[in-house]
Amino acid sequence: EAKRLGRNRVERYSDHLKTRNLIIKRTGDAILKSLADDDFTAYYQPQFDAHTLEINGVEALARWMHPERGIQPPAAFLDIAENLNVVAQIDARVLDHALLQLSRWRAADLGIERVSVNISAQRLFDENLISRLEQLDLIPGSVSFELLESISFDDTSHAVAASIERLRKLGIAIEIDDFGTGYASILSLLKLSPSRLKIDRELVGPVVDNPAQRRLIASIVDIARTFGIGIVAEGVETMEHVAILRDLGCHTLQGYALARPMDAQSLIEFAKQHRVKQDEMLLMRA
Ligand code: C2E
Ligand code: MG
Ligand code: MG
Ligand code: MG
């Protein structure tokens, strides 16, 4: 009896694997088709100056316009895209969308002067990317690349440093994403001379209830300041977080408390309204 049950379990497990593999295969095919159909786009999440609450930049976040399921976040496709080796292609689409939007924001005089894009480690060495960027004549400081701390800087540190140096010559700023949750040593991160560290939301979340966590953020801010690096706090979910993180010295805040990621048109509306609100606040103070 035990044997029979065991065999059933094994069969059920292999059924489960088959279904899983089928889903992965189907999703992979759909991703490839969507790349061909240009169905990847970006949402934009504003970032705010912690003191004035003005928008001081925007992060572009990949979205898949799935033909049946609608807008999908990276969790729905990034791993599978990684296995298919097409993350670089998705990054490229997001960058194109982001650069186009940046020129629209500038033309509309919205006060949004910077866009950050997430870049997979493999893309850092992409000759096509770098030579295309070289032809673009970017305004220095208007584009940042967010690198995940989990990319292994140590194995490839020389090659990474050389690529980053070329990007920096083009006026592209480097930011370390999800800081505090990756495996890289602080030393290897500082060697990249990032412009900003983005403190991961896992570290940011607990600051409200936990004094030790507040001291941790304060120490990170302190280290960053010593090296002339800016701090962005991610996952700022309540107005209480806003006040605490500002008082801890974070320059820039990003999170649901202030704005969610939104499509390009909604961002323009949001930025206009935000400006009106800010002007009203200034008038009230005067
Ligand atoms: P990330 O770069 O750390 O981006 C922040 C993520 O946190 C976004 O999720 C954003 O929607 C979410 N978020 C923002 N504010 C809050 C908040 O207050 N609370 C909570 N709980 N979440 C918040 P999203 O858009 O699902 O992206 C997930 C991750 O996928 C990104 O994390 C980034 O690592 C990756 N990713 C996104 N776009 C791209 C891309 O174009 N290329 C590559 N290679 N990776 C991307
Ligand atoms: Mg990011
Ligand atoms: Mg992050
Ligand atoms: Mg993240």
Side-chain angles (χ1 to χ4, degrees):
E1 172 68 9
K3 222 180 202 170
R4 198 180 57 83
L5 271 182
R7 190 171 326 120
N8 272 347
R9 215 168 280 148
V10 169
E11 268 160 27
R12 239 177 283 140
Y13 184 65
S14 77
D15 278 352
H16 169 79
L17 269 187
K18 263 184 223 148
T19 317
R20 215 182 92 95
N21 286 339
L22 193 66
I23 291 173
I24 291 176
K25 172 82 173 69
R26 284 213 189 115
T27 307
D29 290 345
I31 288 173
L32 295 177
K33 180 161 192 310
S34 288
L35 273 169
D37 294 347
D38 207 10
D39 281 340
F40 282 91
T41 188
Y43 268 25
Y44 303 91
Q45 186 177 30
Q47 301 174 328
F48 299 82
D49 179 294
H51 286 276
T52 65
L53 292 187
E54 280 173 295
I55 299 177
N56 69 9
V58 165
E59 178 174 8
L61 294 157
R63 291 293 182 268
W64 180 14
M65 298 183 285
H66 192 284
E68 287 115 39
R69 278 177 251 149
I71 296 287
Q72 300 290 312
F77 59 84
L78 219 49
D79 285 347
I80 296 175
E82 188 89 59
N83 287 335
L84 291 170
N85 248 317
V86 295
V87 177
Q89 289 182 52
I90 295 174
D91 287 357
R93 300 295 160 84
V94 171
L95 178 64
D96 283 344
H97 284 290
L99 291 175
L100 180 69
Q101 292 307 317
L102 183 64
S103 63
R104 286 182 71 197
W105 303 330
R106 202 167 282 132
D109 198 20
L110 291 175
I112 305 175
E113 309 286 345
R114 182 182 49 77
V115 69
S116 303
V117 297
N118 297 279
I119 213 91
S120 62
Q122 37 165 325
R123 275 225 98 195
L124 269 184
F125 310 103
D126 182 345
E127 233 1 90
N128 290 329
L129 170 72
I130 299 186
S131 56
R132 231 189 81 234
L133 289 168
E134 274 165 353
Q135 283 155 20
L136 283 179
D137 202 18
L138 297 171
I139 298 174
S142 64
V143 175
S144 302
F145 283 173
E146 297 190 5
L147 303 181
L148 280 185
E149 191 192 338
S150 55
I151 86 169
S152 88
F153 297 114
D154 297 324
D155 318 337
T156 46
S157 56
H158 186 71
V160 171
S163 291
I164 285 180
E165 200 39 49
R166 286 179 71 188
L167 294 174
R168 214 187 311 279
K169 285 217 179 87
L170 300 175
I172 294 171
I174 299 299
E175 308 190 16
I176 304 297
D177 207 348
D178 297 358
F179 180 77
T181 59
Y183 301 107
S185 69
I186 289 198
L187 200 65
S188 64
L189 291 177
L190 291 177
K191 273 194 202 141
L192 304 176
S193 319
S195 304
R196 310 199 296 174
L197 300 181
K198 299 191 72 178
I199 306 181
D200 192 75
R201 66 165 180 267
E202 297 216 18
L203 297 182
V204 166
V207 296
V208 170
D209 307 311
N210 189 335
Q213 208 72 24
R214 286 198 286 279
R215 284 197 297 276
L216 176 60
I217 302 282
S219 323
I220 295 174
V221 168
D222 202 38
I223 294 173
R225 200 171 274 152
T226 308
F227 289 92
I229 301 169
I231 290 278
V232 185
E234 297 192 289
V236 176
E237 290 190 345
T238 68
M239 290 315 282
E240 211 178 344
H241 283 93
V242 170
I244 292 172
L245 293 158
R246 178 197 57 215
D247 294 346
L248 287 171
C250 299
H251 313 174
T252 296
L253 307 179
Q254 179 180 354
Y256 295 167
L258 298 165
R260 287 183 174 255
M262 55 191 104
D263 65 50
Q265 193 53 43
S266 303
L267 178 75
I268 290 178
E269 300 305 320
F270 179 90
K272 282 183 186 159
Q273 284 177 17
H274 188 72
R275 223 188 215 177
V276 172
K277 262 195 263 165
Q278 286 230 297
D279 289 346
E280 281 169 3
M281 269 168 27
L282 285 179
L283 276 178
M284 264 159 50
R285 266 188 228 161

